[in-house]
């Protein structure tokens, strides 16, 4: 494996309602139970930039340009202060969202997903494993309790459909598609199968 650090970076992605946070937490708990060193984090972070982004989801979205800039600032800080040091220390880093979400959600606002990816990969390490939780948009909307005309703009039907299309356009050797339209326990079994297979190949 051509990796420049001893740690492992595992990323959960997918549209709202797919259960990323739950699956990330379950995986972290399971790996810690095996005495593995694990860091669980999320984006947007709880830092100053991330808090502004989280607040905007309910108080009204920022301009597309300002929102994208905040995501980049938040991620740079996240990479510098947590992700890279943890990977350099040999830890397993599990992320609930990463720059692929920026590609999807800001791509749905009109930016070029490929350009967003290029800019991010200039400073953000690529994941070793990207677990893309796959769920039909209609099912996702049912799970998050949103109907047409309700909920915040992040959760609107058309936006989620565009985001889903962008997520599915990601083609890399580290991407694993996980069926999220099943019980939590079944999803976690599928997640563990992919993670255990990858870790078994690590030196």
């Amino acid at each position: 494996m051509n990796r420049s650090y001893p740690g492992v970076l595992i990323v959960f992605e997918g549209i709202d309602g797919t259960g990323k946070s739950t699956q990330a937490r379950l995986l972290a708990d399971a790996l810690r139970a095996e005495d593995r060193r694990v860091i669980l984090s999320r984006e947007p972070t709880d830092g100053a930039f991330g808090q502004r982004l989280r607040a905007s989801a309910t108080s009204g979205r920022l301009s597309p340009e300002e929102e994208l800039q905040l995501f980049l600032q938040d991620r740079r800080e996240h990479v510098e202060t947590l992700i890279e040091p943890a990977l350099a220390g040999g830890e397993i880093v599990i992320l609930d969202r990463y720059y692929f979400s920026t590609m999807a959600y800001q791509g749905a606002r009109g930016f070029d997903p490929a350009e967003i990816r290029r800019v991010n990969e200039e400073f953000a390490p690529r994941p070793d494993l990207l677990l893309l939780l796959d769920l039909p948009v209609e099912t996702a909307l049912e799970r998050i309790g949103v109907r047409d005309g309700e909920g915040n703009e992040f959760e609107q039907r058309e936006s989620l459909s565009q985001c889903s299309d962008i997520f599915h356009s990601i083609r890399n050797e580290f991407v694993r598609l996980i069926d999220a339209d099943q019980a939590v326990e079944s999803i976690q079994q599928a997640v563990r199968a992919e993670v255990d297979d990858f870790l078994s190949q690590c030196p």
Side-chain angles (χ1 to χ4, degrees), residues 68-92:
L68 179 58
Q69 188 59 36
L70 278 174
F71 272 113
L72 289 172
Q73 290 173 305
D74 187 48
R75 186 163 299 115
R76 283 183 186 278
E77 184 176 72
H78 200 199
V79 167
E80 292 172 3
T81 62
L82 187 146
I83 297 173
E84 286 189 334
L87 292 175
E91 306 229 27
I92 297 175

Side-chain angles (χ1 to χ4, degrees), residues 161-174:
S161 294
Q162 291 175 306
C163 291
S164 181
D165 289 343
I166 294 171
F167 277 129
H168 283 90
S169 72
I170 300 168
R171 295 286 187 271
N172 280 96
E173 70 284 353
F174 52 71

Side-chain angles (χ1 to χ4, degrees), residues 17-18 133-136 138-140 142-143 178-184 186-187:
T18 52
L133 301 188
D134 186 36
L135 191 68
E138 291 298 324
T139 306
E142 290 173 5
R143 285 188 181 179
I178 304 289
D179 179 11
D181 195 8
Q182 53 184 332
V184 170
S186 298
I187 300 171

Side-chain angles (χ1 to χ4, degrees), residues 94-106:
I94 299 174
L95 297 183
D96 175 2
R97 293 199 185 282
Y98 197 30
Y99 61 82
F100 305 94
S101 278
T102 308
M103 289 170 58
Y105 285 84
Q106 275 52 61

